[in-house]
Amino acid sequence: MDASYYINPIPAGLVLTGIVVSVSVSALMMALTICLYREYHTLNLDEIMLKLGKEEM
């Protein structure tokens, strides 16, 4: 058989790897967001910075 009949698996592997990495990063960011909300009861960064300043005193 001629080599032109075969499919190159590299692009498919790279696409699947990209999907897995993006889902993993999204899950990590969601977990960190949940932890942040549980700790400070807000996702507003200005309020969190104010609370951090009060905790250091």
Side-chain angles (χ1 to χ4, degrees):
M1 283 210 147
D2 188 8
S4 64
Y5 291 110
Y6 294 103
I7 297 173
N8 187 357
I10 301 294
L14 289 174
V15 168
L16 288 174
T17 302
I19 292 170
V20 169
V21 168
S22 64
V23 168
S24 300
V25 169
S26 297
L28 178 65
M29 291 299 111
M30 184 61 77
L32 290 174
T33 302
I34 290 170
C35 291
L36 189 67
Y37 186 80
R38 284 183 181 166
E39 180 72 25
Y40 297 105
H41 305 293
T42 186
L43 293 177
N44 186 335
L45 292 178
D46 292 331
E47 291 181 26
I48 292 172
M49 294 305 291
L50 286 174
K51 290 180 180 183
L52 280 173
K54 290 179 183 175
E55 288 178 1
E56 291 177 0
M57 289 183 181

